[in-house]
Amino acid sequence: MFTIDIAYTTENNLKVNKSYTNILTGVEIHPTSTISQENPVFIVDYNAAFLNANYVICSALGRKYFATISTDTANRMIITCSCDYLSSFNLSSCPIQVTRNGGIGKPTKYPDNKYPIFPNIKDITSITRSNNILTANGGAYVLTVIGGGS
Amino acid sequence: MANPNPEIWGNSETWEYSKNAYGLETETAINANAYKPKCNNFGTIILPDYEQTLYSGVLHGQIEYNSPLDRSICPCGQSPDVSPFAHIAVFNENNDLSQTPSSVHILSEHPVNWFFCDRKGSNNSEYFSRTYNYNDDIGLAYEQFSPKGATVNPQKNPNLRIAPYTQYGIKSLVLGIQVHCILKTAEQPITGTFWTNLDDWKNNYSTTYDICGIRLFVRNCTNISGGTLTYNNDSSIPEGQCAGEIGVITDIDVMNNGEITNTEFLTLFMETGTSERCCYIFDRTSIIYNWNDERDNRAVLACWNYFDGQTVHTWYGLMSDPVRYYFYKIPYSENNYNKIMAIAALFGCYFTPTAKYSFADSMTDVDLCLPVLDENGIAHGEYTRGLDNANNSLYDKSSIRDIDYDPDTPIDPNVYSDTTNWNNVNFQQAFTKRYLLNSSQVAELSTELWAAQSSKPADIDYHNFAIDEYLTNNPIDTIVSLKYFPCTFADVAPAIVHLGKYTTNIAATALGTSVRIIDFAPIECFPHFEDFRDYEPYTELAMYVPFCGTVKIPTAECMGNYVSVKLAIDTSTGAATGYIIVSKTGTGGICVATCQGMAAIDIPVSGLQSANLANAVFNATANWTQTQVNNITANSGLFKHMDGAMGAIARGMSNSVNLSDVKGGILGGPIGAAGSLVNSLNPISALQKGMNIDIDNAKANYELSHIQVPTRLVGSASPVLGCVIELDCRLIIYRPVTDENALSNYADTVGYATIQSGTVSQFSGFTVGTIDVSGINATAKEKQAIAAAFANGVYL
């Protein structure tokens, strides 16, 4: 029997492996001639609890979907789905080369041209080092005259 | 050698060290790279049992063609595709070299990899294998190269009669190629021959000498631990040394008639009754015949038709001394030279065609050759030499004694340094003297200059006095420069100031240094942000150097390191150069930037130029005098004006003129508008004879009373502004300013720039990257969608 789980999620659409809350699991769908794997449309009996649903899990298709609920005149609910790729597959072991990441918490040594730095403002400071050999008023006069070398 | 193919060489862990003696062929098998049934020294076959020879092994199918002979092959096995010395061949029983080469029976049409067999001494009756006479610890060291020694049961494996010549525990081995030189015109090889190294023959003897033999000596032998191996005279070995014993080469010896000196060599091969320890490729054949005309030597045949232009000669001795010599005479040609080099390369050892034997310090020595080995450790005759050795798999930059080279690891030939070398410059002032004065002494100097002429004796004129005392007409000309340096000096000694020969009363000090170096303590360039903002273009650095100004320095080189300044002041010119130095630890370091400026201030020095003054007075007087002469001829009344001082001028016209007299009393009365007269007067003509007398008079009078007192200013006023600003070094840091208000959602919406690799599970938060989804079970479209999502950013 073809069933789906109807749920809702508050996660960002771009979240990988979303968490969700089931409204009702094992909901039977009315059979249709074909069901798209990527953008299926499920027809289920009306249930007011489904009005807040936005997420569907279909184990038969092995995928999770973003869902839009509508009600037709036959007192049935039509659930239009689009595949949530980021949560339908186990991506945890997939190799990845990361170029931007918020999880590291702070900037790195890699140049970041998106970082909010005022372009024309600089903070100027300095560090000094002195040497007692140099003196403005206590120096020496060097007289060079003709004659033998020294 | 790294990892020879165990399928060919066998598993090296199973190679055994054995002290058992090994069976040796009796004849000079190596010479001809061939075997024959065991014979005595006289060529007589004494054992009919061919089962105990390689011949029999091949004959009975115990050796496969094109395959190495189990583990009796050394790691530096010879490839058969270059040299005839890599072929197995036997001769017929007669071994009669008077026969054509067709009497040579080549066992294998397909050459196999094998190496020379050496033999023991004259004990021909023993059929046991023998290895080398070392103590266990040394002997164990060469297991790597030591295949299984022959057992006392040759029946089990007749191949084991072949003992490898490389049964020695050395890590490095340099073969020296020697050739036996014989006169081109010689018809017999007994006299006039000598051995020398290959290059010596090529460069010095090849026009008059051919060669009749080639051999390889061994040099620079060390064991695995690096100790030099020495000759071991094992008295238990009958008839002298055992093949394979290693000696220390002290020098090359040119041999005559086969005689050698006490120099020790590696015994790869030894002929009966001699003490040679080298591997003979071939040599002239000294064949002793018995009356049955039995003889044995196949030396010449090994290289039959191998070299260009060789000829075979036969020389017969006396019937009472039945010696028959067969020998090749091989002329020099580039092709023959290259073939000899290839033969040496086939041994898989370092080698040299020169007399040089010490290469411990340089693997790229021009005289050192390295064989090129294939992936199985087989040599094919190719080699590198000199600098090209750096590209050879056997190359080891540290020492030729170490064979642990990893060909996958590139060798950086550079020597790096993180310290600039500074020079202490100090040179002799040849024609000037330099003194250090304080401010009060400078005032004294000024007084001395103006009063310089006051010490003149009355009987000496000013000019001669100046020349004698100051070496110049004018005392002020003794001054080259007076500069103020805003720094202190050390290493000074008391000295009285001399102006030429004139001794002043100024007790100053002598300046001893040419360059004054001033070091400023290092500044740690600490990364304030610890991220990209510490580097350009965000953070910029500049260094203010006293007298030199401000110079921009590269942030990337300085950040995280120490920056310091060295200021050098030239005490001759006053020029200053600032060096900005970057170091990792605050000491040493590399100069990354320089800047120039002027540290000294030029102090003007003024004084009287007395000679110029005297000259000016003389000229003015002469002109005035001439005008008076003109007056006399035209109007005689004016000579009365020549009384007083002018009279003295007119009469004497010497340079003993009192300046006050000149200035004060020339004219009896005012000349009127002297300025306009000066501007309008024409040059005085002594011959005008009164045509412009009044004008001439006025001009001459004016000039005489307005003689300029010549003074001189040494130096010019120079800016003192270098001392207005501080005299400290100052690292100026320009840092970026972050808009903190824009960072509240930055991590969750933009993410920080980074470059990291890993798996998805290792990251969290907003993430942008390139994901590899080839391993998930999804449609192509879905994979593309996932990759696109990650490229734009997802939340993990």
Side-chain angles (χ1 to χ4, degrees):
Chain A
M1 187 171 297
F2 200 112
T3 62
I4 59 175
D5 298 338
I6 298 176
Y8 70 89
T9 179
T10 57
E11 300 265 44
N12 188 301
N13 283 357
L14 297 175
K15 178 74 169 67
V16 174
N17 293 332
K18 299 178 182 59
S19 61
Y20 54 88
T21 302
N22 285 321
I23 297 174
L24 187 63
T25 62
V27 178
E28 286 188 35
I29 66 169
H30 292 270
T32 58
S33 59
T34 59
I35 294 178
S36 166
Q37 178 175 278
E38 185 177 353
N39 299 299
V41 177
F42 302 114
I43 300 174
V44 298
D45 291 336
Y46 180 86
N47 186 333
F50 295 164
L51 293 175
N52 294 322
N54 62 3
Y55 207 68
V56 168
I57 300 94
C58 181
S59 57
L61 297 177
R63 282 157 174 73
K64 300 181 175 71
Y65 300 93
F66 300 109
T68 303
I69 309 295
S70 62
T71 305
D72 71 0
T73 56
N75 208 28
R76 298 180 303 179
M77 296 188 115
I78 300 172
I79 305 175
T80 305
C81 299
S82 62
C83 185
D84 179 10
Y85 307 116
L86 296 178
S87 296
S88 296
F89 308 98
N90 184 4
L91 305 176
S92 59
S93 301
C94 291
I96 185 171
Q97 181 84 359
V98 174
T99 56
R100 301 197 75 88
N101 183 241
I104 54 181
K106 58 180 181 177
T108 67
K109 286 187 170 57
Y110 292 100
D112 189 351
N113 56 7
K114 296 183 179 180
Y115 204 76
I117 295 175
F118 291 113
N120 297 317
I121 300 175
K122 291 285 190 184
D123 176 31
I124 304 175
T125 184
S126 65
I127 306 170
T128 63
R129 288 290 185 269
S130 61
N131 189 303
N132 294 332
I133 295 176
L134 286 179
T135 169
N137 299 309
Y141 296 83
V142 175
L143 171 69
T144 304
V145 300
I146 62 174
S150 68
Chain B
M1 184 184 67
N3 193 27
N5 189 340
E7 293 183 2
I8 294 178
W9 307 114
N11 191 338
S12 60
E13 285 78 15
T14 64
W15 289 356
E16 297 174 2
Y17 166 68
S18 171
K19 281 191 173 181
N20 296 323
Y22 58 85
L24 300 170
E25 299 296 334
T26 58
E27 301 303 330
T28 59
I30 294 178
N31 276 350
N33 208 19
Y35 295 86
K36 65 176 294 294
K38 182 173 175 60
C39 302
N40 61 13
N41 290 339
F42 298 93
T44 302
I45 299 174
I46 59 174
L47 290 176
D49 185 3
Y50 297 129
E51 296 295 328
Q52 299 186 33
T53 67
L54 175 62
Y55 173 84
S56 65
V58 173
L59 187 64
H60 296 284
Q62 291 166 321
I63 300 173
E64 293 181 5
Y65 294 147
N66 279 339
S67 65
L69 299 172
D70 60 36
R71 290 174 297 167
S72 58
I73 296 175
C74 68
C76 35
Q78 297 191 42
S79 164
D81 57 359
V82 175
S83 168
F85 307 108
H87 294 258
I88 296 178
V90 293
F91 296 87
N92 57 25
E93 291 187 24
N94 291 328
N95 296 310
D96 185 357
L97 287 179
S98 65
Q99 301 299 316
T100 64
S102 63
S103 66
V104 176
H105 179 64
I106 305 298
L107 275 179
S108 64
E109 294 181 356
H110 307 281
V112 299
N113 291 333
W114 74 291
F115 47 88
F116 297 141
C117 170
D118 60 8
R119 64 185 183 91
K120 72 177 182 68
S122 61
N123 187 343
N124 299 318
S125 62
E126 297 179 11
Y127 293 89
F128 44 83
S129 61
R130 169 175 287 162
T131 55
Y132 302 91
N133 298 282
Y134 295 98
N135 296 327
D136 282 344
D137 56 341
I138 298 175
L140 284 171
Y142 55 78
E143 278 187 8
Q144 183 174 359
F145 302 104
S146 173
K148 189 172 182 180
T151 66
V152 294
N153 185 4
Q155 299 292 340
K156 196 171 184 179
N157 188 347
N159 294 337
L160 293 177
R161 293 296 301 276
I162 304 171
Y165 78 90
T166 55
Q167 263 188 344
Y168 38 73
I170 62 171
K171 292 189 69 174
S172 64
L173 168 67
V174 181
L175 303 180
I177 306 175
Q178 284 192 325
V179 292
H180 201 175
C181 297
I182 183 170
L183 281 168
K184 286 182 179 293
T185 57
E187 294 297 329
Q188 55 82 20
I190 300 299
T191 59
T193 65
F194 62 92
W195 287 90
T196 186
N197 64 79
L198 179 64
D199 275 3
D200 187 36
W201 171 58
K202 168 189 172 184
N203 297 326
N204 301 318
Y205 297 100
S206 59
T207 55
T208 53
Y209 286 82
D210 292 339
I211 60 171
C212 59
I214 302 172
R215 69 187 180 190
L216 302 176
F217 277 14
V218 175
R219 306 168 187 277
N220 283 355
C221 304
T222 61
N223 58 19
I224 297 294
S225 61
T228 302
L229 296 170
T230 58
Y231 169 62
N232 186 343
N233 186 359
D234 188 346
S235 60
S236 67
I237 303 172
E239 299 296 327
Q241 300 80 31
C242 173
E245 290 167 338
I246 300 168
V248 177
I249 301 297
T250 57
D251 201 352
I252 184 174
D253 285 313
V254 176
M255 301 176 60
N256 293 312
N257 298 326
E259 299 294 328
I260 62 171
T261 65
N262 292 328
T263 304
E264 301 178 20
F265 306 98
L266 172 67
T267 304
L268 294 176
F269 163 75
M270 184 183 69
E271 291 182 341
T272 304
T274 71
S275 58
E276 293 176 300
R277 299 187 201 108
C278 53
C279 175
Y280 278 81
I281 307 300
F282 76 95
D283 194 18
R284 61 177 175 82
T285 302
S286 175
I287 306 168
I288 301 176
Y289 274 67
N290 59 23
W291 292 110
N292 294 324
D293 204 27
E294 292 173 336
R295 36 74 58 219
D296 170 46
N297 195 299
R298 300 134 298 177
V300 296
L301 298 178
C303 51
W304 201 275
N305 294 325
Y306 181 66
F307 293 102
D308 299 335
Q310 76 276 13
T311 57
V312 181
H313 295 255
T314 307
W315 182 83
Y316 294 88
L318 301 175
M319 289 302 294
S320 59
D321 181 15
V323 177
R324 187 183 307 176
Y325 293 90
Y326 288 87
F327 59 99
Y328 273 125
K329 286 172 69 176
I330 299 174
Y332 174 81
S333 70
E334 185 177 351
N335 193 35
N336 286 341
Y337 178 91
N338 292 335
K339 286 188 173 182
I340 296 172
M341 292 288 282
I343 289 170
L346 285 171
F347 280 72
C349 304
Y350 309 145
F351 66 96
T352 176
T354 70
K356 191 169 182 178
Y357 63 91
S358 175
F359 299 98
D361 296 328
S362 175
M363 286 284 287
T364 54
D365 190 292
V366 65
D367 292 329
L368 179 63
C369 302
L370 270 60
V372 176
L373 306 183
D374 66 16
E375 63 276 11
N376 293 318
I378 304 295
H380 296 268
E382 295 177 343
Y383 63 93
T384 57
R385 183 171 182 173
L387 294 177
D388 290 339
N389 290 341
N391 300 318
N392 193 304
S393 64
L394 293 179
Y395 173 81
D396 181 342
K397 67 174 181 177
S398 61
S399 170
I400 66 171
R401 304 181 189 282
D402 190 351
I403 62 166
D404 294 331
Y405 171 74
D406 180 359
D408 292 331
T409 302
I411 298 175
D412 188 346
N414 296 308
V415 176
Y416 294 92
S417 171
D418 58 359
T419 303
T420 296
N421 296 320
W422 300 97
N423 296 309
N424 187 19
V425 179
N426 203 5
F427 52 88
Q428 178 72 17
Q429 300 285 328
F431 300 99
T432 58
K433 284 184 179 179
R434 296 183 301 165
Y435 302 93
L436 282 177
L437 278 65
N438 55 34
S439 56
S440 61
Q441 290 169 338
V442 171
E444 290 180 45
L445 175 66
S446 176
T447 303
E448 290 272 359
L449 282 175
W450 283 96
Q453 293 286 54
S454 61
S455 61
K456 180 192 75 68
D459 58 340
I460 300 177
D461 59 64
Y462 281 102
H463 171 77
N464 291 327
F465 178 74
I467 291 292
D468 184 61
E469 284 292 300
Y470 307 112
L471 310 177
T472 174
N473 286 329
N474 302 300
I476 194 174
D477 289 343
T478 62
I479 307 295
V480 176
S481 67
L482 178 64
K483 296 179 184 294
Y484 173 75
F485 285 83
C487 61
T488 59
F489 288 86
D491 300 328
V492 293
I496 301 296
V497 175
H498 288 78
L499 301 177
K501 296 164 59 177
Y502 177 76
T503 301
T504 69
N505 297 315
I506 304 172
T509 52
L511 179 63
T513 181
S514 301
V515 179
R516 188 78 167 105
I517 301 294
I518 301 165
D519 288 301
F520 293 86
I523 301 171
E524 183 179 359
C525 201
F526 189 81
H528 179 77
F529 300 100
E530 294 186 307
D531 58 44
F532 70 95
R533 290 173 289 175
D534 289 316
Y535 302 90
E536 292 179 84
Y538 306 100
T539 294
E540 295 173 291
L541 299 176
M543 181 70 78
Y544 166 75
V545 180
F547 312 115
C548 301
T550 303
V551 58
K552 190 177 186 304
I553 54 178
T555 307
E557 297 173 19
C558 302
M559 192 58 64
N561 295 318
Y562 291 82
V563 184
S564 59
V565 172
K566 183 184 289 291
L567 182 65
I569 298 177
D570 182 351
T571 57
S572 298
T573 63
T577 300
Y579 304 94
I580 292 111
I581 301 162
V582 176
S583 64
K584 296 178 182 176
T585 60
T587 58
I590 300 176
C591 176
V592 298
T594 61
C595 50
Q596 275 80 36
M598 180 60 67
I601 302 165
D602 228 356
I603 306 297
V605 177
S606 65
L608 173 65
Q609 290 184 302
S610 57
N612 291 0
L613 172 61
N615 187 54
V617 170
F618 179 84
N619 289 334
T621 304
N623 290 337
W624 185 89
T625 303
Q626 184 61 51
T627 59
Q628 303 315 301
V629 171
N630 295 341
N631 285 340
I632 291 173
T633 57
N635 186 345
S636 61
L638 291 179
F639 267 57
K640 60 187 174 186
H641 292 277
M642 293 177 64
D643 294 335
M646 289 313 301
I649 294 172
R651 287 186 294 274
M653 290 184 289
S654 69
N655 56 4
S656 57
V657 172
N658 191 316
L659 186 59
S660 58
D661 293 334
V662 174
K663 290 192 293 185
I666 296 178
L667 298 179
I671 194 170
S676 60
L677 275 177
V678 169
N679 290 335
S680 62
L681 287 178
N682 294 320
I684 294 174
S685 168
L687 301 179
Q688 290 189 23
K689 301 188 184 300
M691 293 181 65
N692 293 305
I693 289 177
D694 291 337
I695 294 175
D696 289 347
N697 286 340
K699 186 174 185 300
N701 284 326
Y702 181 86
E703 286 181 351
L704 196 58
S705 63
H706 291 83
I707 292 174
Q708 286 186 322
V709 178
T711 59
R712 178 165 174 256
L713 189 68
V714 176
S716 59
S718 57
V720 302
L721 298 179
C723 286
V724 175
I725 197 173
E726 62 179 347
L727 297 179
D728 295 337
C729 280
R730 184 173 291 271
L731 177 66
I732 305 171
I733 306 168
Y734 306 84
R735 292 196 178 117
V737 178
T738 302
D739 183 359
E740 299 291 338
N741 294 329
L743 285 176
S744 55
N745 297 315
Y746 191 82
D748 292 334
T749 57
V750 182
Y752 302 102
T754 182
I755 298 178
Q756 297 184 63
S757 293
T759 59
V760 171
S761 61
Q762 294 175 302
F763 298 93
S764 64
F766 181 76
T767 303
V768 176
T770 303
I771 186 172
D772 179 4
V773 290
S774 59
I776 66 171
N777 187 12
T779 65
K781 185 177 178 181
E782 290 168 335
K783 291 181 179 179
Q784 288 177 1
I786 294 171
F790 271 85
N792 290 321
V794 298
Y795 293 93
L796 297 179

